[in-house]
Amino acid sequence: MRIEFLYFEGCPSAEVLLPRVRDLLARADLSDEPELLHVETIEDAERERFLGSPSVRIDGHDIEPGADERTDFGLKCRLYRNDAGSGGVPPDAWVAEAIRSALARA
């Protein structure tokens, strides 16, 4: 399983999300470590299909439902919207579901 953690330097939400991702991987009995991808330029953002900091992809798929269809790439803070509101980090349930889906595909 490939876990990509995309962020830009100084993003406070990245500092919150990375330990949560590691914890959710451990809860799934996985020892996989997220690959940290530091996005520095707009060119990097477009090449990496970066939707904002922080972003998590598992096996090439963004953990946010529907995000794979988006094209609004750039150097920006990411805002996750869900039924509970919005914030700078996704719900744990999205990450856990992306992990389960990746395991089911393996």
Side-chain angles (χ1 to χ4, degrees), residues 2 10 14 17 19 22 24-25 28-30 32 41 44-45 47 56-57 66 71 73 76 89 94 96 98 101 104-105:
R2 182 176 184 204
L17 182 57
R22 287 178 171 143
L24 289 164
L25 288 166
D29 291 324
L30 297 171
D32 301 71
T41 67
D44 292 343
R47 183 181 59 256
V56 178
R57 291 190 297 233
T71 59
F73 313 123
K76 58 188 174 185
V89 296
W94 288 2
S101 294
R105 288 191 300 269

mmCIF file of all heavy atoms in Angstrom, residues 2 10 14 17 19 22 24-25 28-30 32 41 44-45 47 56-57 66 71 73 76 89 94 96 98 101 104-105:
data_model
loop_
_atom_site.group_PDB
_atom_site.id
_atom_site.type_symbol
_atom_site.label_atom_id
_atom_site.label_comp_id
_atom_site.label_asym_id
_atom_site.label_seq_id
_atom_site.Cartn_x
_atom_site.Cartn_y
_atom_site.Cartn_z
ATOM 1 N N ARG A 2 0.579 2.175 -0.853
ATOM 2 C CA ARG A 2 1.343 3.426 -0.900
ATOM 3 C C ARG A 2 0.504 4.536 -0.283
ATOM 4 O O ARG A 2 -0.595 4.825 -0.757
ATOM 5 C CB ARG A 2 1.701 3.766 -2.342
ATOM 6 C CG ARG A 2 2.529 5.027 -2.435
ATOM 7 C CD ARG A 2 2.968 5.308 -3.852
ATOM 8 N NE ARG A 2 3.845 6.473 -3.853
ATOM 9 C CZ ARG A 2 4.034 7.246 -4.890
ATOM 10 N NH1 ARG A 2 3.437 6.969 -6.045
ATOM 11 N NH2 ARG A 2 4.821 8.285 -4.818
ATOM 12 N N GLY A 10 5.223 24.567 7.103
ATOM 13 C CA GLY A 10 4.545 25.475 8.017
ATOM 14 C C GLY A 10 3.045 25.296 8.117
ATOM 15 O O GLY A 10 2.376 26.065 8.812
ATOM 16 N N ALA A 14 -1.206 20.101 8.745
ATOM 17 C CA ALA A 14 -0.367 18.932 8.449
ATOM 18 C C ALA A 14 0.198 18.357 9.739
ATOM 19 O O ALA A 14 0.265 17.136 9.903
ATOM 20 C CB ALA A 14 0.752 19.311 7.481
ATOM 21 N N LEU A 17 -2.655 16.378 11.236
ATOM 22 C CA LEU A 17 -3.121 15.207 10.495
ATOM 23 C C LEU A 17 -2.114 14.064 10.436
ATOM 24 O O LEU A 17 -2.508 12.899 10.532
ATOM 25 C CB LEU A 17 -3.531 15.620 9.076
ATOM 26 C CG LEU A 17 -4.095 14.509 8.198
ATOM 27 C CD1 LEU A 17 -5.311 13.842 8.844
ATOM 28 C CD2 LEU A 17 -4.460 15.055 6.820
ATOM 29 N N PRO A 19 0.115 12.668 12.524
ATOM 30 C CA PRO A 19 0.043 11.654 13.587
ATOM 31 C C PRO A 19 -1.275 10.880 13.575
ATOM 32 O O PRO A 19 -1.307 9.696 13.928
ATOM 33 C CB PRO A 19 0.194 12.451 14.881
ATOM 34 C CG PRO A 19 0.472 13.853 14.513
ATOM 35 C CD PRO A 19 0.319 14.004 13.044
ATOM 36 N N ARG A 22 -0.931 8.168 10.940
ATOM 37 C CA ARG A 22 -0.089 7.087 11.475
ATOM 38 C C ARG A 22 -0.872 6.227 12.472
ATOM 39 O O ARG A 22 -0.761 5.000 12.475
ATOM 40 C CB ARG A 22 1.159 7.667 12.118
ATOM 41 C CG ARG A 22 2.149 8.190 11.097
ATOM 42 C CD ARG A 22 3.357 8.812 11.752
ATOM 43 N NE ARG A 22 4.385 9.129 10.773
ATOM 44 C CZ ARG A 22 5.160 10.203 10.841
ATOM 45 N NH1 ARG A 22 5.051 11.059 11.850
ATOM 46 N NH2 ARG A 22 6.066 10.418 9.906
ATOM 47 N N LEU A 24 -4.159 5.778 12.576
ATOM 48 C CA LEU A 24 -5.173 4.994 11.859
ATOM 49 C C LEU A 24 -4.547 3.815 11.120
ATOM 50 O O LEU A 24 -5.148 2.738 11.041
ATOM 51 C CB LEU A 24 -5.958 5.892 10.903
ATOM 52 C CG LEU A 24 -6.891 6.871 11.616
ATOM 53 C CD1 LEU A 24 -7.333 7.986 10.680
ATOM 54 C CD2 LEU A 24 -8.103 6.138 12.195
ATOM 55 N N LEU A 25 -3.346 3.982 10.616
ATOM 56 C CA LEU A 25 -2.636 2.863 9.986
ATOM 57 C C LEU A 25 -2.315 1.797 11.036
ATOM 58 O O LEU A 25 -2.514 0.590 10.795
ATOM 59 C CB LEU A 25 -1.352 3.349 9.311
ATOM 60 C CG LEU A 25 -1.545 4.167 8.040
ATOM 61 C CD1 LEU A 25 -0.247 4.868 7.657
ATOM 62 C CD2 LEU A 25 -2.042 3.279 6.907
ATOM 63 N N ALA A 28 -5.198 -0.286 11.964
ATOM 64 C CA ALA A 28 -5.511 -1.272 10.921
ATOM 65 C C ALA A 28 -4.432 -2.356 10.848
ATOM 66 O O ALA A 28 -4.400 -3.152 9.913
ATOM 67 C CB ALA A 28 -5.650 -0.573 9.572
ATOM 68 N N ASP A 29 -3.544 -2.381 11.845
ATOM 69 C CA ASP A 29 -2.442 -3.346 11.917
ATOM 70 C C ASP A 29 -1.509 -3.250 10.715
ATOM 71 O O ASP A 29 -1.012 -4.257 10.211
ATOM 72 C CB ASP A 29 -2.959 -4.782 12.068
ATOM 73 C CG ASP A 29 -3.596 -5.022 13.424
ATOM 74 O OD1 ASP A 29 -3.099 -4.446 14.419
ATOM 75 O OD2 ASP A 29 -4.577 -5.779 13.490
ATOM 76 N N LEU A 30 -1.266 -2.028 10.266
ATOM 77 C CA LEU A 30 -0.359 -1.791 9.147
ATOM 78 C C LEU A 30 0.883 -1.067 9.650
ATOM 79 O O LEU A 30 0.783 -0.146 10.456
ATOM 80 C CB LEU A 30 -1.045 -0.955 8.069
ATOM 81 C CG LEU A 30 -2.251 -1.603 7.402
ATOM 82 C CD1 LEU A 30 -2.974 -0.601 6.526
ATOM 83 C CD2 LEU A 30 -1.811 -2.809 6.582
ATOM 84 N N ASP A 32 2.914 0.328 7.431
ATOM 85 C CA ASP A 32 3.266 1.248 6.353
ATOM 86 C C ASP A 32 3.474 2.654 6.907
ATOM 87 O O ASP A 32 2.725 3.099 7.778
ATOM 88 C CB ASP A 32 2.160 1.299 5.292
ATOM 89 C CG ASP A 32 1.883 -0.053 4.682
ATOM 90 O OD1 ASP A 32 1.312 -0.891 5.394
ATOM 91 O OD2 ASP A 32 2.240 -0.258 3.520
ATOM 92 N N THR A 41 6.318 24.566 -4.963
ATOM 93 C CA THR A 41 6.018 25.531 -6.026
ATOM 94 C C THR A 41 4.685 25.214 -6.678
ATOM 95 O O THR A 41 4.157 24.099 -6.536
ATOM 96 C CB THR A 41 7.110 25.509 -7.115
ATOM 97 O OG1 THR A 41 7.053 24.228 -7.790
ATOM 98 C CG2 THR A 41 8.505 25.737 -6.533
ATOM 99 N N ASP A 44 5.116 22.236 -8.800
ATOM 100 C CA ASP A 44 5.019 21.001 -8.011
ATOM 101 C C ASP A 44 3.553 20.667 -7.750
ATOM 102 O O ASP A 44 3.140 19.511 -7.860
ATOM 103 C CB ASP A 44 5.717 21.149 -6.657
ATOM 104 C CG ASP A 44 7.221 21.279 -6.732
ATOM 105 O OD1 ASP A 44 7.818 20.945 -7.779
ATOM 106 O OD2 ASP A 44 7.807 21.731 -5.717
ATOM 107 N N ALA A 45 2.776 21.677 -7.379
ATOM 108 C CA ALA A 45 1.360 21.473 -7.054
ATOM 109 C C ALA A 45 0.602 20.905 -8.256
ATOM 110 O O ALA A 45 -0.193 19.967 -8.108
ATOM 111 C CB ALA A 45 0.731 22.784 -6.596
ATOM 112 N N ARG A 47 1.916 19.308 -10.923
ATOM 113 C CA ARG A 47 2.460 17.989 -11.259
ATOM 114 C C ARG A 47 1.932 16.921 -10.301
ATOM 115 O O ARG A 47 1.581 15.817 -10.711
ATOM 116 C CB ARG A 47 3.985 18.026 -11.232
ATOM 117 C CG ARG A 47 4.627 16.699 -11.643
ATOM 118 C CD ARG A 47 6.150 16.712 -11.606
ATOM 119 N NE ARG A 47 6.674 17.021 -10.285
ATOM 120 C CZ ARG A 47 7.191 18.211 -9.919
ATOM 121 N NH1 ARG A 47 7.281 19.196 -10.780
ATOM 122 N NH2 ARG A 47 7.624 18.408 -8.691
ATOM 123 N N VAL A 56 -3.934 13.613 1.619
ATOM 124 C CA VAL A 56 -3.534 12.216 1.797
ATOM 125 C C VAL A 56 -4.081 11.414 0.630
ATOM 126 O O VAL A 56 -5.266 11.535 0.288
ATOM 127 C CB VAL A 56 -4.078 11.626 3.122
ATOM 128 C CG1 VAL A 56 -3.684 10.157 3.268
ATOM 129 C CG2 VAL A 56 -3.596 12.436 4.311
ATOM 130 N N ARG A 57 -3.200 10.631 0.027
ATOM 131 C CA ARG A 57 -3.613 9.710 -1.033
ATOM 132 C C ARG A 57 -3.160 8.307 -0.651
ATOM 133 O O ARG A 57 -2.068 8.127 -0.123
ATOM 134 C CB ARG A 57 -2.986 10.089 -2.371
ATOM 135 C CG ARG A 57 -3.537 11.365 -2.937
ATOM 136 C CD ARG A 57 -3.099 11.601 -4.371
ATOM 137 N NE ARG A 57 -1.659 11.750 -4.482
ATOM 138 C CZ ARG A 57 -1.069 12.794 -5.079
ATOM 139 N NH1 ARG A 57 -1.783 13.774 -5.590
ATOM 140 N NH2 ARG A 57 0.242 12.845 -5.154
ATOM 141 N N GLY A 66 -14.869 11.893 -3.878
ATOM 142 C CA GLY A 66 -15.075 12.805 -5.000
ATOM 143 C C GLY A 66 -13.885 13.664 -5.372
ATOM 144 O O GLY A 66 -13.897 14.328 -6.406
ATOM 145 N N THR A 71 -9.843 19.554 -10.046
ATOM 146 C CA THR A 71 -8.689 20.061 -10.803
ATOM 147 C C THR A 71 -8.197 21.396 -10.261
ATOM 148 O O THR A 71 -7.417 22.070 -10.924
ATOM 149 C CB THR A 71 -9.044 20.217 -12.295
ATOM 150 O OG1 THR A 71 -10.142 21.122 -12.409
ATOM 151 C CG2 THR A 71 -9.388 18.884 -12.932
ATOM 152 N N PHE A 73 -5.845 22.598 -8.415
ATOM 153 C CA PHE A 73 -4.546 22.375 -7.802
ATOM 154 C C PHE A 73 -3.878 23.702 -7.483
ATOM 155 O O PHE A 73 -4.064 24.692 -8.183
ATOM 156 C CB PHE A 73 -3.657 21.554 -8.740
ATOM 157 C CG PHE A 73 -4.348 20.347 -9.311
ATOM 158 C CD1 PHE A 73 -4.460 20.170 -10.669
ATOM 159 C CD2 PHE A 73 -4.919 19.409 -8.469
ATOM 160 C CE1 PHE A 73 -5.106 19.068 -11.198
ATOM 161 C CE2 PHE A 73 -5.580 18.299 -8.982
ATOM 162 C CZ PHE A 73 -5.673 18.130 -10.349
ATOM 163 N N LYS A 76 -2.123 26.065 -1.408
ATOM 164 C CA LYS A 76 -3.172 26.647 -0.575
ATOM 165 C C LYS A 76 -3.456 25.722 0.593
ATOM 166 O O LYS A 76 -3.091 24.548 0.569
ATOM 167 C CB LYS A 76 -4.436 26.850 -1.406
ATOM 168 C CG LYS A 76 -4.944 25.560 -2.017
ATOM 169 C CD LYS A 76 -6.077 25.791 -2.978
ATOM 170 C CE LYS A 76 -6.424 24.464 -3.670
ATOM 171 N NZ LYS A 76 -7.416 24.643 -4.673
ATOM 172 N N VAL A 89 -8.547 19.471 8.497
ATOM 173 C CA VAL A 89 -8.193 18.052 8.420
ATOM 174 C C VAL A 89 -9.457 17.250 8.126
ATOM 175 O O VAL A 89 -10.559 17.633 8.535
ATOM 176 C CB VAL A 89 -7.514 17.539 9.720
ATOM 177 C CG1 VAL A 89 -6.181 18.228 9.945
ATOM 178 C CG2 VAL A 89 -8.412 17.707 10.908
ATOM 179 N N TRP A 94 -12.903 9.094 6.938
ATOM 180 C CA TRP A 94 -12.493 9.102 5.528
ATOM 181 C C TRP A 94 -11.167 8.373 5.354
ATOM 182 O O TRP A 94 -10.983 7.605 4.407
ATOM 183 C CB TRP A 94 -12.358 10.521 5.008
ATOM 184 C CG TRP A 94 -13.642 11.249 4.800
ATOM 185 C CD1 TRP A 94 -14.910 10.814 5.061
ATOM 186 C CD2 TRP A 94 -13.778 12.571 4.291
ATOM 187 N NE1 TRP A 94 -15.817 11.788 4.761
ATOM 188 C CE2 TRP A 94 -15.152 12.878 4.277
ATOM 189 C CE3 TRP A 94 -12.870 13.536 3.865
ATOM 190 C CZ2 TRP A 94 -15.642 14.114 3.832
ATOM 191 C CZ3 TRP A 94 -13.353 14.756 3.420
ATOM 192 C CH2 TRP A 94 -14.727 15.033 3.400
ATOM 193 N N ALA A 96 -9.846 6.100 7.406
ATOM 194 C CA ALA A 96 -10.064 4.687 7.714
ATOM 195 C C ALA A 96 -10.739 3.971 6.550
ATOM 196 O O ALA A 96 -10.361 2.847 6.201
ATOM 197 C CB ALA A 96 -10.886 4.548 8.994
ATOM 198 N N ALA A 98 -10.594 4.820 3.361
ATOM 199 C CA ALA A 98 -9.623 4.725 2.265
ATOM 200 C C ALA A 98 -8.652 3.571 2.518
ATOM 201 O O ALA A 98 -8.273 2.853 1.586
ATOM 202 C CB ALA A 98 -8.871 6.051 2.109
ATOM 203 N N SER A 101 -10.607 0.319 1.851
ATOM 204 C CA SER A 101 -10.788 0.135 0.405
ATOM 205 C C SER A 101 -9.507 -0.346 -0.254
ATOM 206 O O SER A 101 -9.533 -1.223 -1.126
ATOM 207 C CB SER A 101 -11.257 1.429 -0.251
ATOM 208 O OG SER A 101 -12.543 1.771 0.186
ATOM 209 N N ALA A 104 -8.962 -3.961 0.525
ATOM 210 C CA ALA A 104 -9.884 -4.799 -0.221
ATOM 211 C C ALA A 104 -9.440 -4.978 -1.673
ATOM 212 O O ALA A 104 -9.673 -6.030 -2.283
ATOM 213 C CB ALA A 104 -11.293 -4.221 -0.171
ATOM 214 N N ARG A 105 -8.778 -3.947 -2.231
ATOM 215 C CA ARG A 105 -8.294 -4.027 -3.617
ATOM 216 C C ARG A 105 -7.030 -4.870 -3.734
ATOM 217 O O ARG A 105 -6.693 -5.332 -4.816
ATOM 218 C CB ARG A 105 -8.003 -2.634 -4.163
ATOM 219 C CG ARG A 105 -9.220 -1.789 -4.457
ATOM 220 C CD ARG A 105 -8.875 -0.530 -5.241
ATOM 221 N NE ARG A 105 -7.947 0.359 -4.557
ATOM 222 C CZ ARG A 105 -8.280 1.362 -3.747
ATOM 223 N NH1 ARG A 105 -9.553 1.603 -3.511
ATOM 224 N NH2 ARG A 105 -7.358 2.119 -3.172
#
